[in-house]
Amino acid sequence: MNMLKKILVLAGAMALTLALAVPAFAAGAPDAAEPAAQTQEDSSTGFKAIAAGLAVGLAAAGGAVAMGLATAKSTESISRQPEAEGKIRTTLMLGLVFIETAIIYALLVVILIIFVL
């Protein structure tokens, strides 16, 4: 039952991603008067937008899930061993910093995709 729930959530997330990507594909067919280079540039801009959106979305979603699980597990640990609260909290904060750093790196990669490529 738990696996079915995860599959349904993943399918819903993928459907939402595809639904939000539709405007990127909504551009009309290029006119015959436009040069081929302009059409190629427009196409690559759309692909950059899709890649950037997917990269940031996946990084943020993965980071949010990881932070939620880490917080839940640390809360469980503190409730089981209240005397170890300081060490657990310190380890939790360090882990959250690493997770957030990974999300920021994904944002930097997306900025590079948009402006450099």
Side-chain angles (χ1 to χ4, degrees):
M1 187 65 163
N2 193 14
M3 184 61 118
L4 178 63
K5 194 175 192 181
K6 288 180 182 179
I7 291 172
L8 289 175
V9 168
L10 182 61
M14 291 181 72
L16 180 64
T17 302
L18 289 175
L20 293 175
V22 169
F25 294 113
D31 294 335
E34 288 186 32
Q38 181 67 26
T39 305
Q40 178 67 24
E41 184 178 320
D42 291 343
S43 176
S44 79
T45 303
F47 288 135
K48 285 182 195 177
I50 292 171
L54 285 174
V56 167
L58 287 174
V65 169
M67 286 181 180
L69 288 174
T71 305
K73 296 298 180 179
S74 69
T75 304
E76 286 179 21
S77 298
I78 291 172
S79 68
R80 289 181 188 191
Q81 288 185 321
E83 66 274 2
E85 178 184 3
K87 289 183 179 182
I88 293 171
R89 184 167 291 147
T90 302
T91 305
L92 169 69
M93 291 301 162
L94 187 61
L96 291 178
V97 166
F98 287 140
I99 294 169
E100 192 67 31
T101 303
I103 297 170
I104 292 171
Y105 284 151
L107 179 64
L108 290 175
V109 168
V110 166
I111 290 171
L112 287 173
I113 288 172
I114 292 172
F115 292 113
V116 175
L117 295 179

